[in-house]
């Protein structure tokens, strides 16, 4: 009986993680999507690094940057922007 419960819990955990993307889509399906103001690959040796930049809706004087790679960690940083000096 204990083996069956353990197997069921393990199977349930594996099934949930396999469909985590589906769960996220259902949970956030009604949220607005915002296109980044810039998206590009960063030339790095041996890594596929992607960079996304955007301005938060509630603070136009801020820019945020999200960096993600295949094998390294991800991160977000936001910093103030002087609207007069923007491109």
């Amino acid at each position: 009986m204990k083996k069956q419960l353990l197997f069921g819990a393990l199977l349930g955990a594996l099934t949930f993680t396999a469909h985590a993307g589906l769960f996220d889509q259902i949970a956030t399906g009604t949220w607005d999507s915002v296109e980044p103001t810039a998206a590009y690959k960063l030339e790095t040796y041996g890594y596929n690094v992607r960079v996304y930049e955007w301005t938060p809706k509630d603070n136009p004087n801020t820019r945020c940057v999200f960096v993600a790679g295949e094998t390294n960690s991800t991160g977000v940083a936001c910093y103030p922007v002087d609207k007069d000096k923007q491109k």
Side-chain angles (χ1 to χ4, degrees):
M1 181 69 171
K2 285 184 181 181
K3 287 183 181 181
Q4 290 173 335
L5 287 175
L6 181 60
F7 178 76
L10 181 60
L11 184 61
L14 290 174
T15 302
F16 179 76
T17 56
H19 296 291
L22 177 61
F23 176 78
D24 287 343
Q25 285 180 339
I26 292 169
T28 62
T30 59
W31 294 7
D32 291 337
S33 292
V34 176
E35 291 293 322
T37 55
Y40 49 90
K41 288 184 181 179
L42 186 61
E43 184 62 39
T44 56
Y45 181 75
Y47 298 99
N48 180 18
V49 176
R50 298 169 313 282
V51 179
Y52 302 93
E53 299 179 10
W54 73 95
T55 301
K57 286 183 174 184
D58 66 344
N59 192 350
N61 297 322
T62 300
R63 178 162 300 130
C64 295
V65 179
F66 172 75
V67 180
E70 289 179 353
T71 58
N72 48 355
S73 61
T74 62
V76 174
C78 296
Y79 55 93
V81 176
D82 185 356
K83 291 298 261 184
D84 296 330
K85 296 180 181 177
Q86 287 187 4
K87 303 180 210 177

